[in-house]
Amino acid sequence: MTLRICTYNIHKGFSQFNRRMMVHELRERLRQLGTDIVFLQEVQGLHMGHARRHADWPSEPQHQFLARDIWPSAAYGGNAIYDHGHHGNAILSRYPIISTHNQDVSDHRFERRGLLHCEIRIAENRPPVHAVCVHLGLFAGSRRRQMEALARRMTELAPPDAPMIVAGDFNDWRNHAPRDLLSKLDLVEVFSPEGRPPRSYPSSFPMFRLDRIYVRGLTVEQCAVHCGPPWSRISDHAALTAEFRLPE
């Protein structure tokens, strides 16, 4: 049995530098990837200004609009809340999400961050997969404390042998996540077992290794970075996909 996933910072449904509203093309491109679980960052739950300015702005929250008819289970964690709306992380799944929790790991009031944790039932005779969607802070100290919070939470909630996927935008310019996180949760970086993630930012010509997929209890079959046209017209980040084989 295989499981195919994607992680993508969707830049609130706008192209790089907010030049164009791209949420409709984003939905079509996501569907073409054929994934079972999607980890999304910078998902716009509500924005009254965009709804007034764009006639084709979806009437429902972005995670529901993107999930419609393809991913029947969806979870959203709003992190940044303001007068005219809010945004955060989301997980879309073809399989039932049996529990969800969004943990506030904001390190200061200028940067609201959260860890969206879902348990996903892949099959009745298998343990649930623990899926965590992350978008970490811009400062090294914040990221370190947020990764420590992630490691503590998952150590408490997930049995040591439970399958786990941690994916998202780590903003980890110096690649400290392997040292701070991987050894504590026995995770593996899917693109490189040595812990060297792929280049994913900016999506037009990736130079920086910001977006990640880490797993345990799953065998990596293949993985890919989706950058350049048409992806670079949708968001400033590249999308990452990976396919896994589940244990017997």
Side-chain angles (χ1 to χ4, degrees), residues 93-159:
S93 176
R94 294 185 190 270
Y95 300 102
I97 295 175
I98 59 176
S99 73
T100 179
H101 180 267
N102 191 52
Q103 180 181 0
D104 186 353
V105 291
S106 303
D107 200 52
H108 50 82
R109 64 188 182 93
F110 301 106
E111 201 178 32
R112 309 305 301 179
R113 303 293 184 182
L115 305 172
L116 179 61
H117 169 220
C118 296
E119 289 183 88
I120 301 176
R121 178 71 69 189
I122 304 299
E124 289 298 328
N125 60 341
R126 296 176 182 270
V129 173
H130 290 263
V132 187
C133 185
V134 308
H135 188 187
L136 302 186
L138 297 174
F139 301 102
S142 296
R143 291 194 298 274
R144 184 180 66 254
R145 287 182 284 273
Q146 289 159 356
M147 285 188 279
E148 289 171 353
L150 169 59
R152 285 195 303 271
R153 178 173 179 80
M154 299 315 297
T155 299
E156 292 172 359
L157 295 182

Side-chain angles (χ1 to χ4, degrees), residues 19-236:
R19 290 172 176 164
R20 297 179 302 278
M21 194 266 284
M22 301 297 295
V23 68
H24 295 274
E25 183 173 351
L26 164 66
R27 183 167 72 169
E28 295 309 309
R29 292 293 170 184
L30 281 177
R31 293 176 178 210
Q32 291 173 16
L33 293 176
T35 53
D36 301 302
I37 304 173
V38 186
F39 298 71
L40 300 175
Q41 306 86 53
E42 292 196 26
V43 178
Q44 195 76 66
L46 173 70
H47 197 294
M48 293 183 286
H50 293 335
R52 287 192 297 267
R53 283 191 293 272
H54 300 276
D56 55 348
W57 184 258
S59 60
E60 56 196 326
Q62 282 184 350
H63 68 287
Q64 295 179 4
F65 173 77
L66 296 172
R68 189 196 304 161
D69 301 327
I70 301 296
W71 297 280
S73 288
Y76 169 74
N79 301 320
I81 301 172
Y82 26 86
D83 291 342
H84 53 280
H86 49 84
H87 69 267
N89 300 327
I91 294 177
L92 319 180
S93 176
R94 294 185 190 270
Y95 300 102
I97 295 175
I98 59 176
S99 73
T100 179
H101 180 267
N102 191 52
Q103 180 181 0
D104 186 353
V105 291
S106 303
D107 200 52
H108 50 82
R109 64 188 182 93
F110 301 106
E111 201 178 32
R112 309 305 301 179
R113 303 293 184 182
L115 305 172
L116 179 61
H117 169 220
C118 296
E119 289 183 88
I120 301 176
R121 178 71 69 189
I122 304 299
E124 289 298 328
N125 60 341
R126 296 176 182 270
V129 173
H130 290 263
V132 187
C133 185
V134 308
H135 188 187
L136 302 186
L138 297 174
F139 301 102
S142 296
R143 291 194 298 274
R144 184 180 66 254
R145 287 182 284 273
Q146 289 159 356
M147 285 188 279
E148 289 171 353
L150 169 59
R152 285 195 303 271
R153 178 173 179 80
M154 299 315 297
T155 299
E156 292 172 359
L157 295 182
D161 58 346
M164 184 183 300
I165 306 170
V166 180
D169 178 359
F170 279 71
N171 273 318
D172 184 21
W173 305 85
R174 297 184 179 181
N175 198 26
H176 286 171
R179 183 184 65 197
D180 297 337
L181 180 65
L182 301 189
S183 60
K184 296 177 182 177
L185 293 177
D186 196 26
L187 295 168
V188 175
E189 204 285 317
V190 302
F191 284 80
S192 168
E194 295 77 27
R196 191 169 179 81
R199 301 181 191 272
S200 63
Y201 182 88
S203 56
S204 55
F205 188 78
M207 298 175 60
F208 302 105
R209 307 174 191 275
L210 302 189
D211 302 276
R212 315 280 174 85
I213 302 173
Y214 297 113
V215 298
R216 82 175 184 205
L218 303 169
T219 303
V220 182
E221 295 282 288
Q222 58 182 342
C223 46
V225 179
H226 304 270
C227 59
W231 297 96
S232 56
R233 295 197 299 267
I234 297 174
S235 173
D236 53 351

